[in-house]
Amino acid sequence: LLLRWRRRRRLWKKVEEARQRQERSLVRMQMTVKRFQEQHPSVNMVSILKLPLPELSKKLRDGSLPPEHVFYAYVGKALQIATETNCITEYLQESEIQLRKAKLPEKPGLLYGVPVSIKDSIDCEGYDSTLGFIKNLNKPAAEDSVVVQVLRRQGAIPFVKTNVPQSLISYDCKNLIFGQTFNPLLYTRSPGGSSGGEGALVGGGGSILGFGTDVGGSLRFPAAFCGICALKPTGNRLSKKGIISGVLGQKAVVAAVGPMAKDVESLALCMRALLSEDMFNLDSTVPPLPFNEEVYSSTQPLRIGYYETDFFTMPSPAMRRAVRETKQLLEDAGHTLVPFELTNVDYVIFNFCVRGMFADGGISFLKKFKGELEKSSMGLFFWLAKSPSWLKTVLAWIAKPFMPRFSHIIRSMRANTVDEVWSLHHEIEEFCYQFIAQWKKLNLDVMLCPMLGPALGIGYPGKLSVAVSYTMLYNALDFPAGVVPVTMVTDEDEQELKGYKGYFQDWWDRTLAKAFHGSVGLPVAVQCVALPWQEELCLRFMKEVEAL
């Protein structure tokens, strides 16, 4: 008992130190901004913050706007949003040194002088990548991840790291070290996750360009919940070297790193900058595919598949309306819309996603929590991972008649043999080929899909892991998928919600109905999807949706 007490005290001390470091970061930001404002009282920071990224970067690159003005404008705004939402974990002090060295070169990089924010799990030299785990504190990264190296070479200035949920396997944003991050649009709502700190900071206007990762919707949830845009590329379009994932080594559900911004043009500018010789040289496992300008700027009418529901998670009235209205606007603009029949999503979620990520019965997932102070945020998965196989079998059998989804999840979390894992990977490949065949048969360019929304209340994502169905499908398929906000929840949507039952009418459906309630005025997005390696076409479609 004494040893345990001492260990706990030691862990709490580490947590306390990390919180003090976070506090010092914010004080440092405050002091640097104050000093800058005293020395440059005439700089109009509000007008700088109003500039969209393409315009801002143009002014930085032609020398009409000094990088210092932009940097301190964003440090000031980021400080405000961090105070309101608790989204920043550390201020990267080196950013000030980089800023002082930033002399306008003859050929400036595409992101010259642009301050950018970085998710906790993306390595920045000299800083922790904690994933919300105490054991990862005071273990600074030895070097920048490739994405951060390329950003620096393109002239961008990484200036803060942002909060994540413990383990990243969650679409809320809370951990024991830094606490809960709040949605900048409504503090009682989750900002989404696992790139929740990024969603809150970019959504609140404290960063003009942010970077996160996505293994089940971790870029798309925060973007949708905070009313901004994000792109989850094909898993290997951007380098993942130096980026720490939630479940190391699993290959069934593909993770990706991608950008978040207020508009689609900013995402395109970011992809142009990243898809450069620099990245292909720093990570030779990334295919050397530069940004395809012709595809992105094309104005040819598109053939667009669409669906309003996946028949697994019943869409909220606002989600359904978002797809319907967008479909109508696209048709009016001369595009062709074709209904796409989605089948077997329940099988994909249970057998490919849950079983794929926990193919070892959850052993490696459990290991991450060994010696941690808190494990409650992962409730169900944590408990199931700890249960012996025989108990999972018995529980699955008991639960099947009245809680079929719960029964499937339990069954999906048993340990697999190597032979079974290979067979699962083969099955996912076959499913992907079938999905593409159906897509090609309809001669589609892109697909319009629902995106979970509006933002759920804090604490709800942890109870509603099944609601990742709309996003996680495209991690299993490894298709590029972006999110664009298109509407807001209306009083009519709220009225219609009273009849929301769900497809299974189980505890999860009842909980989701509660989670959707009271959301009038909150943004709702749609997902735009393309075939693998077609990020430019995906962005072109997103731009079209945004414009309409």
Side-chain angles (χ1 to χ4, degrees):
L1 269 173
L2 184 66
L3 282 171
R4 256 171 78 180
W5 177 76
R6 276 188 184 152
R7 221 192 89 256
R8 284 181 75 83
R9 247 184 75 174
R10 210 164 49 241
L11 291 175
W12 275 115
K13 194 164 174 265
K14 279 177 85 173
V15 169
E16 210 43 59
E17 283 165 5
R19 287 177 185 169
Q20 283 165 5
R21 196 159 57 235
Q22 181 190 31
E23 193 56 45
R24 282 198 302 275
S25 276
L26 300 183
V27 170
R28 168 104 194 201
M29 288 168 80
Q30 190 179 11
M31 283 161 64
T32 52
V33 172
K34 193 167 173 245
R35 193 165 56 240
F36 177 78
Q37 284 173 325
E38 283 165 1
Q39 289 166 357
H40 305 81
S42 60
V43 173
N44 185 344
M45 296 204 170
V46 176
S47 65
I48 291 172
L49 295 169
K50 278 185 180 158
L51 292 171
L53 180 60
E55 211 178 315
L56 179 86
S57 69
K58 190 173 172 292
K59 285 180 181 291
L60 281 162
R61 291 169 73 222
D62 67 18
S64 62
L65 192 57
E68 297 81 20
H69 296 194
V70 176
F71 181 80
Y72 290 108
Y74 273 99
V75 171
K77 186 66 179 174
L79 175 65
Q80 180 207 325
I81 301 303
T83 310
E84 292 170 9
T85 65
N86 184 34
C87 56
I88 291 174
T89 56
E90 282 203 79
Y91 173 53
L92 311 183
Q93 291 184 23
E94 285 73 9
S95 56
E96 293 176 36
I97 299 165
Q98 194 187 338
L99 180 71
R100 282 197 292 274
K101 287 182 184 168
K103 298 285 172 276
L104 187 63
E106 209 165 294
K107 269 197 76 182
L110 283 177
L111 297 172
Y112 171 76
V114 176
V116 296
S117 49
I118 309 287
K119 183 180 183 174
D120 166 281
S121 58
I122 301 173
D123 280 352
C124 292
E125 188 183 333
Y127 293 88
D128 294 337
S129 298
T130 69
L131 278 71
F133 288 120
I134 301 168
K135 63 163 70 71
N136 295 338
L137 286 169
N138 309 327
K139 290 182 182 171
E143 64 173 354
D144 285 336
S145 55
V146 167
V147 163
V148 171
Q149 288 183 55
V150 178
L151 285 168
R152 291 194 201 276
R153 291 185 188 192
Q154 286 287 345
I157 305 174
F159 76 115
V160 286
K161 287 199 89 174
T162 56
N163 205 22
V164 293
Q166 188 183 36
S167 84
L168 305 189
I169 310 296
S170 160
Y171 64 103
D172 203 343
C173 192
K174 181 190 179 187
N175 62 68
L176 190 70
I177 307 166
F178 303 110
Q180 174 76 50
T181 298
F182 305 96
N183 191 313
L185 306 176
L186 186 61
Y187 301 154
T188 56
R189 298 289 159 135
S190 167
S194 60
S195 314
E198 282 303 317
L201 189 60
V202 177
S207 171
I208 197 164
L209 182 62
F211 293 85
T213 59
D214 188 311
V215 77
S218 291
L219 278 161
R220 290 162 288 165
F221 281 115
F225 285 12
C226 298
I228 56 173
C229 300
L231 174 71
K232 176 206 85 70
T234 312
N236 213 32
R237 186 79 199 257
L238 298 177
S239 171
K240 289 181 279 193
K241 191 166 183 280
I243 294 173
I244 309 184
S245 67
V247 181
L248 290 172
Q250 72 81 22
K251 298 271 189 268
V253 187
V254 185
V257 57
M260 300 167 89
K262 279 267 167 86
D263 54 69
V264 180
E265 199 56 63
S266 301
L267 300 178
L269 175 62
C270 169
M271 291 300 282
R272 266 186 212 109
L274 288 176
L275 296 171
S276 62
E277 280 305 315
D278 285 330
M279 190 175 65
F280 310 139
N281 290 333
L282 286 165
D283 184 355
S284 301
T285 67
V286 172
L289 297 170
F291 190 84
N292 189 328
E293 217 56 66
E294 199 184 322
V295 171
Y296 178 64
S297 54
S298 163
T299 52
Q300 287 288 316
L302 295 166
R303 231 179 119 78
I304 305 163
Y306 75 96
Y307 55 89
E308 286 180 15
T309 178
D310 64 3
F311 299 105
F312 182 78
T313 304
M314 185 179 275
S316 64
M319 281 167 72
R320 209 182 272 272
R321 183 174 58 77
V323 173
R324 255 179 222 170
E325 287 179 2
T326 307
K327 171 207 175 254
Q328 195 52 57
L329 288 166
L330 286 161
E331 271 182 335
D332 295 347
H335 301 286
T336 307
L337 277 101
V338 186
F340 189 90
E341 202 146 317
L342 205 56
T343 53
N344 296 338
V345 169
D346 53 348
Y347 189 83
V348 172
I349 294 304
F350 299 133
N351 263 349
F352 297 170
C353 300
V354 180
R355 190 177 152 212
M357 286 187 75
F358 300 100
D360 60 354
I363 293 165
S364 53
F365 178 68
L366 271 181
K367 262 190 208 152
K368 287 182 178 278
F369 289 87
K370 200 173 186 300
E372 291 294 314
L373 286 168
E374 188 201 50
K375 298 138 178 142
S376 59
S377 58
M378 287 309 301
L380 174 69
F381 285 116
F382 193 80
W383 182 81
L384 283 173
K386 282 177 89 164
S387 306
S389 286
W390 66 266
L391 183 58
K392 287 178 193 165
T393 309
V394 172
L395 283 173
W397 182 75
I398 294 169
K400 197 175 181 183
F402 52 97
M403 285 177 79
R405 286 203 285 188
F406 183 53
S407 171
H408 279 299
I409 282 187
I410 301 169
R411 272 218 303 276
S412 304
M413 285 202 62
R414 63 177 183 80
N416 290 259
T417 63
V418 176
D419 178 47
E420 286 170 326
V421 174
W422 287 350
S423 154
L424 171 70
H425 289 174
H426 175 66
E427 209 182 326
I428 293 171
E429 261 173 34
E430 286 301 312
F431 168 71
C432 187
Y433 291 138
Q434 282 163 14
F435 199 95
I436 292 170
Q438 189 183 345
W439 181 299
K440 293 269 170 82
K441 196 176 171 188
L442 297 171
N443 198 20
L444 304 178
D445 296 307
V446 286
M447 185 109 81
L448 172 70
C449 322
M451 175 65 212
L452 191 80
L456 308 184
I458 281 168
Y460 273 110
K463 300 171 190 168
L464 290 162
S465 45
V466 291
V468 300
S469 59
Y470 287 102
T471 47
M472 210 164 188
L473 169 66
Y474 295 107
N475 294 90
L477 286 164
D478 194 19
F479 285 16
V483 155
V484 183
V486 293
T487 186
M488 286 171 180
V489 180
T490 62
D491 290 312
E492 291 76 33
D493 294 329
E494 198 66 31
Q495 276 300 110
E496 249 187 87
L497 197 55
K498 287 176 180 164
Y500 185 95
K501 288 274 189 290
Y503 294 118
F504 296 84
Q505 298 183 21
D506 55 11
W507 180 82
W508 277 311
D509 278 340
R510 290 192 293 279
T511 307
L512 189 54
K514 277 187 215 156
F516 283 142
H517 267 294
S519 305
V520 174
L522 286 177
V524 179
V526 290
Q527 263 190 116
C528 301
V529 178
L531 290 174
W533 312 108
Q534 300 280 338
E535 281 69 23
E536 296 85 345
L537 185 57
C538 186
L539 285 163
R540 191 238 137 150
F541 177 36
M542 288 166 73
K543 188 173 61 168
E544 200 83 16
V545 168
E546 177 186 61
L548 293 170

